[in-house]
Amino acid sequence: MERIYLDNAATTSLSPEVLNAMMPALTSVYGNSASIHSFGREASNLIDESRDVIAKTINSKSNEIYFTSSGSEANSMAIVGIANANRSRGNHIITSKIEHESILNACKYLENNGFKVTYLDVDQNGMINFTELLHAINPSTILISIMAANNELGSIQFIKAIAQTAHEKGIPFHTDAVQLYGHMDIDVVDMGIDAMTISGHKIYGPKGSAALYVSNNVKIDPIIFGGNQERSKRGGTCNTAGIVGLAKACEIATRDMRSNNHKLRLLSDYFTTKLTQEVEHVKINANIRQKLPQIISVTFVGVDGESLVTKLDMNGVAVSTGSACTSNSLSVSHVMTAIGLTNDNARSTIRFSLGKNNSYEELDSAIATIKQAVEELREYSSTYGAKIRKRKGDNDVQ
């Protein structure tokens, strides 16, 4: 059976170029980068070179790049670390209702420790309201964190304008750019970004390797304690191979950005056009002119999303109902609720996320599978529902 992977927002495959770059650090350069002997210095040199590569892609200084184990850790480090370091200035943080769980849960942790958090509403396309943002800012606000592109909708916020709003009030600005990085030019100086999260496995790099950019002008405390690694901001032995792989993935993503984006735009247009033609009662969420092309949120009215995902998987098509970090939860997606979908429609929403390795032939096959699965589920729902209604009617007569 042919297997078709349409869940690239959850994770991407490892690029052969990245794997080749990692091999020395997996085999011959095995020293601990914190050691002062030659083995350690070899590993340390690879990490320093990787830091330089990543910094260059976002126009930052090398000593503003901190390596972490994941985007979630980097987000937690940004939110909790900046909040704790600036607590003497205030205790208020602003974020949005559609952030990744790692942001929302870090904010909940801070709320339990004396901080106050404002969660901004979004419109039906997942965009924040600047008037609401301005009204939320107060003298105790010490951090604003708004994700660059949403992982379920693909909606892209006006990051430069948000950062400018923050800076006008003297507030540092963090953005979770895990989904956006590699798909749009990011210049942290020009855009006014003070802290930013990126993750390797979203850009064909290795899992277990990510980075947090933090401007030297922003105070941040560690949340993982240990030795003096990462300039005493993140304890623990460095994942040399993962860091090298992350840097190579960043280099490739920047190098191939325009060609990849062009292909993804064409694939996305083809997929959405044909899907809406072939399958009845579907709705595409988010504004197509202000979103990443590769993330496509689709509501299949009257179809249970979990059942559809399972049925598609049984037929070789991998998709998701939303963020992979919450895929085991039975609760309705907080992102779908925030954009105004009813609980039923939220449960009927599927995320398709395309990758640079997908083909038109795969999309044709996937759409045929989706059409059949949706029709079968709707027929089952209609038949089962009719039986339930009849049974209820018989009980009422009795």
Side-chain angles (χ1 to χ4, degrees):
M1 179 177 64
E2 178 188 22
R3 295 205 304 167
I4 301 170
Y5 187 73
L6 301 178
D7 199 20
N8 288 276
T11 193
T12 54
S13 59
L14 184 65
S15 161
E17 277 189 85
V18 172
L19 178 59
N20 287 337
M22 293 172 64
M23 288 308 295
L26 289 168
T27 55
S28 57
V29 186
Y30 52 81
N32 187 324
S33 61
S35 300
I36 62 173
H37 50 59
S38 61
F39 290 85
R41 291 197 303 275
E42 287 175 344
S44 180
N45 288 339
L46 287 182
I47 292 173
D48 288 342
E49 291 168 5
S50 299
R51 214 183 299 274
D52 292 341
V53 168
I54 296 172
K56 185 178 179 181
T57 68
I58 61 173
N59 190 29
S60 77
K61 297 181 177 65
S62 294
N63 66 357
E64 294 174 320
I65 302 296
Y66 299 89
F67 293 117
T68 69
S69 66
S70 65
S72 291
E73 185 197 330
N75 279 337
S76 297
M77 180 177 174
I79 300 299
V80 178
I82 293 175
N84 284 338
N86 292 275
R87 190 162 193 166
S88 61
R89 295 178 49 241
N91 68 338
H92 180 233
I93 297 160
I94 299 173
T95 189
S96 83
K97 291 182 177 179
I98 63 168
E99 299 296 311
H100 189 269
E101 291 286 346
S102 58
I103 296 286
L104 297 177
N105 286 332
C107 287
K108 290 175 184 176
Y109 167 80
L110 290 174
E111 284 184 291
N112 291 330
N113 286 274
F115 287 85
K116 297 178 180 179
V117 181
T118 296
Y119 301 90
L120 300 177
D121 291 322
V122 295
D123 64 18
Q124 63 183 0
N125 295 313
M127 305 298 290
I128 69 162
N129 183 293
F130 274 82
T131 300
E132 185 180 353
L133 171 60
L134 285 170
H135 287 164
I137 295 173
N138 65 55
S140 66
T141 305
I142 54 174
L143 177 64
I144 296 174
S145 178
I146 304 293
M147 71 194 322
N150 184 262
N151 53 305
E152 294 187 39
L153 294 167
S155 51
I156 302 173
Q157 302 290 346
F158 296 104
I159 293 302
K160 186 173 182 178
I162 297 172
Q164 182 178 349
T165 301
H167 291 169
E168 287 173 353
K169 303 295 184 178
I171 303 166
F173 171 68
H174 165 260
T175 186
D176 173 356
V178 163
Q179 296 294 343
L180 185 71
Y181 181 88
H183 298 286
M184 192 177 90
D185 290 322
I186 299 176
D187 183 325
V188 294
V189 176
D190 176 69
M191 298 174 74
I193 298 171
D194 300 297
M196 184 177 75
T197 302
I198 63 174
S199 179
H201 74 104
K202 307 295 187 180
I203 52 172
Y204 307 91
K207 297 171 183 64
S209 189
L212 176 66
Y213 152 77
V214 182
S215 167
N216 288 331
N217 297 321
V218 173
K219 293 197 301 181
I220 185 169
D221 284 349
I223 62 169
I224 293 180
F225 302 95
N228 297 322
Q229 297 92 345
E230 296 305 288
R231 299 178 300 288
S232 300
K233 297 300 184 184
R234 196 267 186 184
T237 302
C238 290
N239 175 9
T240 306
I243 289 169
V244 170
L246 170 63
K248 189 63 177 180
C250 290
E251 179 185 294
I252 296 169
T254 303
R255 181 194 73 195
D256 298 343
M257 183 186 303
R258 278 153 186 78
S259 60
N260 286 341
N261 282 347
H262 179 68
K263 178 180 180 180
L264 289 170
R265 179 70 65 185
L266 293 175
L267 288 173
S268 176
D269 289 346
Y270 181 83
F271 180 81
T272 52
T273 298
K274 189 165 185 178
L275 181 69
T276 53
Q277 290 173 344
E278 295 287 330
V279 184
E280 294 182 340
H281 308 300
V282 300
K283 177 183 179 296
I284 309 297
N285 300 304
N287 183 347
I288 60 172
R289 291 181 294 276
Q290 190 59 32
K291 66 178 284 295
L292 294 170
Q294 69 270 21
I295 296 180
I296 307 164
S297 173
V298 184
T299 300
F300 294 87
V301 179
V303 177
D304 178 70
E306 294 285 351
S307 299
L308 180 55
V309 168
T310 301
K311 199 169 189 65
L312 292 178
D313 183 49
M314 291 171 63
N315 288 280
V317 180
V319 298
S320 72
T321 54
S323 172
C325 294
T326 56
S327 61
N328 292 324
S329 172
L330 296 177
S331 61
V332 175
S333 163
H334 68 281
V335 175
M336 296 302 118
T337 300
I339 65 171
L341 295 191
T342 64
N343 282 351
D344 285 344
N345 281 344
R347 291 191 177 95
S348 299
T349 299
I350 300 297
R351 180 187 70 183
F352 302 91
S353 45
L354 313 182
K356 65 181 182 180
N357 297 321
N358 287 129
S359 66
Y360 291 101
E361 291 75 19
E362 285 182 322
L363 297 187
D364 285 336
S365 180
I367 289 171
T369 303
I370 294 164
K371 180 179 180 180
Q372 181 177 348
V374 168
E375 289 175 351
E376 289 175 358
L377 288 170
R378 282 178 175 157
E379 181 179 358
Y380 173 81
S381 178
S382 176
T383 302
Y384 182 74
K387 289 181 179 179
I388 292 295
R389 288 190 294 273
K390 183 178 184 301
R391 188 178 300 121
K392 184 178 185 301
D394 293 341
N395 290 336
D396 289 344
V397 171
Q398 297 172 357

